[in-house]
Amino acid sequence: MTTCTDLTLPSQPSADIRDRVRYIMQLRRLSQRQLASILKLDPSNLSKVMNNKLPFTEGLINRMVVDLGLSKVWLRDGEGLPFDKPSCAREIVLNRPIETMMAVGGTPVYDIDVTAGCRDLAKVFGEVNPVGTINLPGISPDSNLVKVRGDSMCPRICNGGYVAIRPIADRRNIFWGQIYVVELDEFRLVKYLRRHPDPEMVILHSDNPAYDDMDVLRSDIKRLYMVEAIINYEVS
């Protein structure tokens, strides 16, 4: 079976709200001082809250929900998931390589590593012929299938897996918590997009906790492609 690199995940938080905050700090690799800076709080006051010397107020909960993009129900009550808008990308697991499943018509498949290079993908698609097409349920023929190399999105997207992508016409229309191919001046990335406390920026988040979040100016994003489907290959 094709597997991703073994991951070291943060331990799951207990029922205490402070443990859930520590879980998020571990997940995002934030020190307490860095968290205080994001929340625009005095570090000593946040320390007192985390040490149970000051109450965890509703106002502080609301601030964390807005500034960290958290689910309020999860943070306050421990129910559901930390981020209340999980990716809606369709997930498909194949039992044989996609290259052996080519058909007439369907979604074009490109032998392109979407994370390699910095050229505009629209130009690449215009110059490179697809290696074939494939018919898979729920994947539009208007999408393009491309490879993803590396383990930054493991276990969601395994090294060598494919994603079906389509361009987003207006980069201002971001669906937070979804997976995108992000084109910057010097490279392309496949990441979750999360809301940043600064409206001029976005957070690029990996599934693999070994990778730190990246803060990127919206103006530095040249083009966005939404990941509509993820196709991983598994041999039993």
Side-chain angles (χ1 to χ4, degrees), residues 117-119 182-188 219-222:
C118 59
R119 294 187 61 213
V182 183
E183 285 193 349
L184 303 170
D185 279 334
E186 297 181 356
F187 46 84
R188 293 189 297 261
S219 58
D220 286 344
I221 298 175
K222 295 168 55 181

Side-chain angles (χ1 to χ4, degrees), residues 121-166:
L121 278 176
K123 294 180 180 178
V124 175
F125 291 143
E127 297 172 2
V128 177
N129 292 325
V131 295
T133 58
I134 190 170
N135 288 303
L136 291 173
I139 300 183
S140 168
D142 295 328
S143 300
N144 292 311
L145 262 65
V146 289
K147 286 182 180 178
V148 177
R149 294 293 185 188
D151 66 351
S152 72
M153 288 300 288
C154 286
R156 191 73 190 278
I157 307 173
C158 286
N159 180 23
Y162 279 82
V163 290
I165 62 174
R166 65 174 176 85

Side-chain angles (χ1 to χ4, degrees), residues 176 194-203 215-218:
W176 302 113
R194 289 184 175 166
R195 192 188 302 273
H196 195 283
D198 182 346
E200 299 299 318
M201 303 189 76
V202 298
I203 296 170
D215 296 341
V216 174
L217 283 167
R218 283 179 182 245

Side-chain angles (χ1 to χ4, degrees), residues 168-176 218 224:
I168 301 300
D170 189 342
R171 297 194 305 273
R172 294 171 298 179
N173 294 332
I174 294 174
F175 295 94
W176 302 113
R218 283 179 182 245
L224 284 175

Side-chain angles (χ1 to χ4, degrees), residues 3-236:
T3 59
C4 297
T5 303
D6 291 338
L7 307 179
T8 302
L9 296 171
S11 57
Q12 292 298 314
S14 74
D16 186 83
I17 189 171
R18 291 167 177 82
D19 285 337
R20 288 192 285 280
V21 173
R22 293 186 185 99
Y23 174 76
I24 294 299
M25 290 169 62
Q26 186 180 0
L27 196 65
R28 290 196 54 185
R29 288 173 166 73
L30 294 172
S31 68
Q32 195 164 283
R33 181 170 293 276
Q34 288 170 325
L35 177 61
S37 177
I38 290 173
L39 300 173
K40 299 178 176 61
L41 294 175
D42 184 289
S44 63
N45 286 338
L46 179 60
S47 176
K48 290 176 183 177
V49 170
M50 295 303 295
N51 288 312
N52 211 14
K53 295 178 180 178
L54 285 177
F56 211 112
T57 65
E58 187 74 9
L60 180 54
I61 290 174
N62 290 336
R63 183 174 293 190
M64 288 189 171
V65 167
V66 172
D67 291 346
L68 298 175
L70 297 174
S71 161
K72 186 172 183 178
V73 173
W74 178 84
L75 179 60
R76 183 188 59 202
D77 305 322
E79 298 177 2
L81 297 171
F83 303 98
D84 57 6
K85 288 187 179 179
S87 170
C88 62
R90 179 181 176 84
E91 296 189 49
I92 300 172
V93 178
L94 303 178
N95 58 9
R96 56 194 176 105
I98 200 170
E99 292 81 2
T100 68
M101 301 176 65
M102 300 301 180
V104 177
T107 307
V109 180
Y110 289 86
D111 188 17
I112 295 172
D113 178 358
V114 74
T115 57
C118 59
R119 294 187 61 213
D120 190 324
L121 278 176
K123 294 180 180 178
V124 175
F125 291 143
E127 297 172 2
V128 177
N129 292 325
V131 295
T133 58
I134 190 170
N135 288 303
L136 291 173
I139 300 183
S140 168
D142 295 328
S143 300
N144 292 311
L145 262 65
V146 289
K147 286 182 180 178
V148 177
R149 294 293 185 188
D151 66 351
S152 72
M153 288 300 288
C154 286
R156 191 73 190 278
I157 307 173
C158 286
N159 180 23
Y162 279 82
V163 290
I165 62 174
R166 65 174 176 85
I168 301 300
D170 189 342
R171 297 194 305 273
R172 294 171 298 179
N173 294 332
I174 294 174
F175 295 94
W176 302 113
Q178 304 307 306
I179 303 175
Y180 288 85
V181 174
V182 183
E183 285 193 349
L184 303 170
D185 279 334
E186 297 181 356
F187 46 84
R188 293 189 297 261
L189 301 164
V190 181
K191 301 291 179 186
Y192 291 100
L193 260 63
R194 289 184 175 166
R195 192 188 302 273
H196 195 283
D198 182 346
E200 299 299 318
M201 303 189 76
V202 298
I203 296 170
L204 305 185
H205 177 74
S206 301
D207 216 40
N208 185 340
Y211 289 78
D212 292 334
D213 286 349
M214 296 176 61
D215 296 341
V216 174
L217 283 167
R218 283 179 182 245
S219 58
D220 286 344
I221 298 175
K222 295 168 55 181
R223 191 180 295 266
L224 284 175
Y225 291 80
M226 177 173 277
V227 172
E228 295 191 314
I230 299 164
I231 302 99
N232 288 316
Y233 167 51
E234 180 177 284
V235 178
S236 57

